[in-house]
Amino acid sequence: MKELTITATIENIPAVTEFVDAELEACGCPIKAQMQIDIAIDELFGNIARYAYNPEVGPATVRVEVTEPPLAVVITFIDGGVPYDPLKKKDPDITLSADDREIGGLGIFMVKKSMDSITYEYKDGKNILAIKKNL
């Protein structure tokens, strides 16, 4: 397991992605799975950066764990910001046109659809969101 603690800002998304990608490459992650994970990082870390400590900034920890069998990667995002469970947000109605849909929720919906599991808990004053991708 590897861990990175970094200030939760939009500018740090590339650093988080690079950190996770290094671990994914080390375990032989297929490029398609890596691209899906990178999109999830952009969405999830971006949400932490935008909303967790707003208007202030604070730290976020990103943990990467490779498990087997079967080979999988679990990426956990931990922050001490405002408690927020994105899994409680109703999925958007993607049958509606973009003009008719409510704003928001599409990013987390895409993460749910592209990952094999996603969990959230609020524990000891921390938001803990974990995504799992089977490789």
Side-chain angles (χ1 to χ4, degrees):
M1 177 177 62
K2 296 273 178 102
E3 209 172 78
L4 170 71
T5 299
I6 193 166
T7 304
T9 62
I10 297 296
E11 295 76 24
N12 281 337
I13 292 172
V16 172
T17 303
E18 189 176 301
F19 165 73
V20 173
D21 283 353
E23 295 306 306
L24 296 176
E25 288 165 16
C27 74
C29 179
I31 192 70
K32 180 181 177 188
Q34 183 177 334
M35 288 172 48
Q36 291 172 324
I37 291 167
D38 288 352
I39 291 168
I41 292 167
D42 189 68
E43 175 63 24
L44 299 173
F45 193 83
N47 282 349
I48 294 168
R50 285 183 196 91
Y51 307 116
Y53 299 100
N54 193 19
E56 306 298 320
V57 295
T61 298
V62 180
R63 183 180 298 149
V64 181
E65 190 174 0
V66 178
T67 63
E68 57 184 309
L71 186 62
V73 65
V74 178
I75 301 157
T76 306
F77 299 84
I78 304 164
D79 70 79
V82 177
Y84 178 68
D85 181 353
L87 303 181
K88 286 190 174 169
K89 185 162 179 58
K90 193 175 130 208
D91 288 342
D93 183 349
I94 57 171
T95 63
L96 298 174
S97 72
D99 291 335
D100 295 332
R101 268 197 314 262
E102 286 185 36
I103 293 175
L106 196 55
I108 193 72
F109 176 75
M110 290 181 356
V111 173
K112 285 186 205 174
K113 292 296 180 192
S114 64
M115 295 298 118
D116 292 294
S117 74
I118 180 168
T119 60
Y120 170 85
E121 70 175 324
Y122 187 77
K123 184 177 177 185
D124 300 328
K126 305 275 186 203
N127 291 294
I128 304 167
L129 182 81
I131 57 173
K132 180 179 181 181
K133 183 70 178 172
N134 295 329
L135 308 178

